[in-house]
Amino acid sequence: MEVHRHLDEELDALRDTVLRLGGEAEAALVRAMHALTDRDSVAAREVLEHDDEIDQLEVEVDRQCVDIFALRQPAARDLRFVMSVAKMAPVLERIADHACNIARAAIDLNNEPELKNHVRLRQMGEIASSMLTGALDAFTKNNAAVAREVIKRDAEINDLYNQVFHDLIELMAKEPATATRDARLLFVAKHLERIGDYVTDICELTVYMAEAAIIKHRH
């Protein structure tokens, strides 16, 4: 009984740490998009300043997972939980890295004349943020059905990315003077599209955790 109690406590601590990591990644994305759409370079720098903290949280999750594997030898559902979290932490860290790249683009763009407002780029950011929130909620509640619904939204980001890509390429051809700034926006769109892919990975791990079902590459 004592062993089980310690395992439960360590699993709770691990859940808390990965949710803190997820919350920081979510906040970084929201702040980075605000920095870009509202031309707020202060917010962009805050994203970059918090990146070390996010990296440390990933390291802490990794340490906790190793300790549980080595000392507690979890089985069945507990094993799936620890394995899923171990894979989820670097994905969340990468999402935060993409948010940092968006923040860097915002700083560069904010130092130059304002470009036309790209509504689809803002929509991509809102969908990516909503997906991440939904994915973390599905993980917290161990809800595979919610995770599957979030996965479906990745198609929305992909469609918007294709539209933004064609719009910006066309704009570069028409207005060569703004090509460099347009290219930065194109990279922002790609970062958001990748975030959608990473959120999908998180949801796939949640489905595995909840149902022991591997759905990667199947949806």
Side-chain angles (χ1 to χ4, degrees), residues 91 95 131 154 157-158 190-202 204 216:
V91 174
I95 289 173
M131 285 180 65
D154 188 44
I157 288 192
N158 292 338
K190 188 59 182 177
H191 290 309
L192 291 169
E193 189 270 337
R194 292 297 295 135
I195 288 173
D197 291 342
Y198 284 133
V199 173
T200 297
D201 292 342
I202 293 170
E204 291 170 348
K216 193 174 183 66

Side-chain angles (χ1 to χ4, degrees), residues 146-213:
V146 171
R148 284 187 167 93
E149 289 302 311
V150 174
I151 287 172
K152 293 176 183 177
R153 300 204 68 191
D154 188 44
E156 297 178 43
I157 288 192
N158 292 338
D159 288 343
L160 283 168
Y161 171 72
N162 289 331
Q163 293 173 46
V164 170
F165 178 87
H166 291 299
D167 287 348
L168 289 173
I169 293 297
E170 186 177 333
L171 194 60
M172 288 180 199
K174 288 181 179 178
E175 302 178 25
T178 66
T180 301
R181 285 174 284 168
D182 290 331
R184 288 196 182 101
L185 289 176
L186 189 55
F187 281 120
V188 168
K190 188 59 182 177
H191 290 309
L192 291 169
E193 189 270 337
R194 292 297 295 135
I195 288 173
D197 291 342
Y198 284 133
V199 173
T200 297
D201 292 342
I202 293 170
C203 291
E204 291 170 348
L205 289 168
T206 296
V207 172
Y208 170 72
M209 181 180 73
E211 299 180 349

Side-chain angles (χ1 to χ4, degrees), residues 75-85 205 208-212:
R77 181 180 292 270
D78 292 339
L79 176 60
R80 294 200 306 273
F81 172 76
V82 179
M83 288 178 63
S84 297
V85 169
L205 289 168
Y208 170 72
M209 181 180 73
E211 299 180 349

